[in-house]
Amino acid sequence: MQRVVVLGRGGAGKSVLARRLGEVMGLPVTELDELFWSADATPLPREQWAALQRELVAAPAWILDGDLGPFDVLEPRLRAADTIVVLDFPLGTCVRRALRRSRESLVFWRWVICYRRRSLPGILAAVTRCAPEVNLQLLRHPREVERFLRDRR
């Protein structure tokens, strides 16, 4: 497992999992939300976003965190991944975390209002369509996340 994509609802803890997994496995982590939004809180143009993702997946080892954005080009990441981790935490938990985070980040709040997030069934359908042979890890509880991290050590 050298190329990992972390997906899930906003507030599920994708960034935290990606950072911890990067530490455990010694892999570089890229948080796509940080790359997608410019300083003035506008998204990258579609062509630029697609080119950036192609560049990221060309590396031999990586962890990419983030599945979102109106111009998201998810397929290159899914096709290049060895492992896809999907966090399927309860919606209420995700909403509480997202609201807590929104107080800290105006960009995040603006994004929640302006753009619709991918639904979890949509994410799973994209994984099935683009990467049917990939190692898919569907984690539904924080204990499962801890077990997943422990198994990587």
Side-chain angles (χ1 to χ4, degrees), residues 130-141:
C130 298
E133 303 298 320
V134 75
N135 175 16
L136 176 63
Q137 299 289 321
L138 186 60
L139 308 178
R140 294 195 160 116
H141 193 277

Side-chain angles (χ1 to χ4, degrees), residues 3-7 18 28-32 53 56-57 62-66 77:
R3 297 170 299 183
V4 182
V5 174
V6 180
L7 305 172
V29 177
T30 302
E31 190 170 339
L32 294 175
Q53 289 187 88
L56 290 170
V57 300
W62 39 261
I63 297 174
L64 297 179
D65 156 36
R77 282 181 267 154

Side-chain angles (χ1 to χ4, degrees), residues 6-23 29-34 63-68 85 87 89 97 101 108 117 145 149:
V6 180
L7 305 172
R9 291 184 182 103
K14 294 185 302 283
S15 299
V16 173
L17 173 60
R19 282 191 303 272
R20 289 183 61 199
L21 192 57
E23 291 168 6
V29 177
T30 302
E31 190 170 339
L32 294 175
D33 283 346
E34 291 178 2
I63 297 174
L64 297 179
D65 156 36
D67 54 336
L68 309 171
V85 181
L87 297 178
F89 288 1
R97 288 180 178 176
R101 191 164 119 188
F108 177 79
R117 291 186 173 275
V145 171
L149 287 167

Side-chain angles (χ1 to χ4, degrees), residues 76-90:
R77 282 181 267 154
L78 297 181
R79 291 185 192 284
D82 298 322
T83 300
I84 298 172
V85 181
V86 178
L87 297 178
D88 183 17
F89 288 1

Side-chain angles (χ1 to χ4, degrees), residues 27-28 57 84 99 104-105 125 129 140 142 151:
L27 295 175
V57 300
I84 298 172
L99 288 173
E104 303 164 8
S105 172
R129 185 182 70 249
R140 294 195 160 116
D151 292 347

